Amino acid sequence: MPLDPRIIEILDFLRPFGKYASIVDNIERSDPPRPSFVFEALFAYALERHGISLDYEVNVTPLNDTAVDFVYGDEGGNKLCFELLSPEMSDELRQRCLPIKTGIEGISTWEVLLESGHPHPHQRPEALTIRMQEKLLEKIDKFPDPSDDIFSIIVVNCESFHWGCYDGEDARMVMYGRTVNPIFQEFWGGEPIKGLLDDT
């Protein structure tokens, strides 16, 4: 399947920088391109075209040999570290979905019943909250310890997660373990799910 002309335009913009060669190669060699590669290209394009120069794949912590996706450094020595995340549905959930034709060749959508208390745990909305928490936590070790001059940011693309219907209440559930509207509060094993920023 040929690449979308908009993606080709972005790759043509990024190619001369040299530092994004692996992003360009990964997109051009995969059919279709993985969403995570496209997300990296879109992110680099959005900042670089506005004159915000980034470094790509930088190790910012001496504790391991991992790298964050992008780093922006200003003249004062401050650094913004960006790690991009494109979570997808779990394999277990995808296996339980029924593909439905959309009328566009090669494009299907998915249908599955999600409900609290579903006998299959991967078909509970709470399982998606926990999966998002796990995916976010996998990124933490790439960042250095907090300091006054380094800011660490995880940028999340949810288009392939929760069927693209990820909303503010879902995000609050992941981060704080509670929602604005109590009807959307999620539980696991009879207990409220703890958010990533919960004190406990």
Side-chain angles (χ1 to χ4, degrees), residues 7-28:
I7 298 297
I8 293 172
E9 179 183 334
I10 290 170
L11 298 182
D12 288 344
F13 175 86
L14 294 177
R15 190 176 284 108
F17 287 94
K19 59 188 172 183
Y20 301 121
S22 63
I23 296 175
V24 173
D25 289 344
N26 283 328
I27 291 174
E28 290 180 334

Side-chain angles (χ1 to χ4, degrees), residues 32 43 64 136 163 174 184:
F43 186 86
N64 56 51
L136 287 165
W163 291 274
V174 167
F184 297 121

